[in-house]
Amino acid sequence: LTGTSREQRAFQYLLTHAIPGDPHHILQIFDQWSYHCEHLSCVGPDKGERRIVERVLLERAPLRVLELGTYCGYGTVLLAQGLPPGARLYTIEGNPRHAAVAEKVIRLAGFSEQTVELIVGPSEEVIPRLREKHGLMNANLVFMDHWKRCYLRDLQLLESHQLLAEGATILADNVLFPGAPHFLQYAKTCSKYHCKVHRARLEY
C-alpha cells in the first residue's frame, strides 16, 4: 500500500530506532523488525552473532572477506563488526534495489568504503573481475548467502580465478533448506575441503 519495498520499510525503521555508528544495535533493530513486523531473509541472530559467523570470525581473524549476497546489509554489518584491524570486506549484490538499501545500512553502521566495498552486479560477472577491477588478490573467508543454485558455480569460479587464499574458509548458509545439494556433494567429494555441517534453526 505504501509503494515501498519490505527492505525500504525495514530501513526506515532502522533510521527511527537504531543508533548510528553502532553495528551491534543496528543488528538488534533488524532482528526486532523481522521478529515483530515483517520477515527478512537475513542470516539472523542464532546463526549470526550468537553462533556460527561470529565464532568463525574470532577463530580465523580474516583480513580479506568476500560476501556473496548482500541483500539489505545485515550479514555485511555482522561480518564487518567482527573484522580484525586493517581487514577489508567485499560484498556482492545482484539486485540494484537491495544494494541501494544495503549501502545506506552499511554506512549507517559506521563502515567506510575503505572497510566495506559494495559491488553491484551478478556474481558470475563480478567474480572474474575482482582482482583486476577491485584489487582482491584472494579471500581468507567467503560467506555465501545468495541464490543457492549459484553456490557451486561461484565456488568453482573462485577456484578457477585463484581467489581463495591457502586455508580459506567457505561459509555457506541454508545448504540443507532450501538447499544446495550439488554444492554440498562437490565440497564433500572433491578432496579440496574439510567439511562440517552446522545444524541451525531457520532465521526468525
Side-chain angles (χ1 to χ4, degrees):
L1 291 176
T2 64
T4 60
S5 69
R6 179 185 313 187
E7 295 76 24
Q8 290 171 320
R9 293 193 292 273
F11 178 69
Q12 292 301 320
Y13 187 80
L14 276 183
L15 281 179
T16 305
H17 297 91
I19 301 170
D22 187 336
H24 179 71
H25 193 250
I26 283 172
L27 293 177
Q28 285 184 320
I29 299 301
F30 256 131
D31 292 335
Q32 286 180 20
W33 173 267
S34 293
Y35 276 123
H36 304 296
C37 300
E38 295 178 280
H39 178 271
L40 294 174
S41 299
C42 304
V43 65
D46 292 316
K47 288 179 283 186
E49 281 193 281
R50 292 197 290 270
R51 287 200 60 204
I52 302 160
V53 177
E54 188 178 64
R55 188 172 73 246
V56 168
L57 288 167
L58 284 170
E59 290 174 355
R60 304 292 183 182
L63 290 176
R64 297 173 303 279
V65 178
L66 175 64
E67 180 186 31
L68 302 179
T70 317
Y71 186 41
C72 55
Y74 183 106
T76 314
V77 172
L78 174 64
L79 291 165
Q81 74 167 358
L83 293 177
R88 185 165 171 79
L89 168 60
Y90 301 80
T91 182
I92 300 172
E93 175 52 51
N95 186 318
R97 289 176 297 176
H98 292 167
V101 173
E103 180 80 40
K104 292 182 281 192
V105 170
I106 294 163
R107 306 312 166 206
L108 182 68
F111 299 110
S112 69
E113 292 183 8
Q114 284 67 45
T115 302
V116 178
E117 180 178 351
L118 173 59
I119 305 165
V120 184
S123 56
E124 71 271 21
E125 295 178 11
V126 173
I127 288 172
R129 305 195 310 258
L130 281 173
R131 181 174 287 115
E132 290 185 5
K133 188 170 181 181
H134 301 280
L136 175 61
M137 301 309 293
N138 52 47
N140 307 112
L141 172 66
V142 178
F143 181 50
M144 293 185 167
D145 196 14
H146 57 323
W147 293 107
K148 313 314 164 198
R149 66 176 182 269
C150 301
Y151 278 18
L152 177 57
R153 180 201 68 196
D154 288 351
L155 176 60
Q156 292 176 330
L157 270 178
L158 292 169
E159 293 174 347
S160 64
H161 289 275
Q162 299 180 321
L163 287 165
L164 297 176
E166 186 176 354
T169 299
I170 314 295
L171 194 57
D173 195 21
N174 300 124
V175 293
L176 298 181
F177 183 84
H182 299 298
F183 167 84
L184 265 187
Q185 182 182 27
Y186 176 78
K188 289 178 177 179
T189 61
C190 72
S191 75
K192 299 176 185 178
Y193 305 101
H194 299 288
C195 295
K196 182 176 181 180
V197 176
H198 299 268
R199 301 280 175 171
R201 294 180 299 173
L202 287 176
E203 59 275 2
Y204 311 116

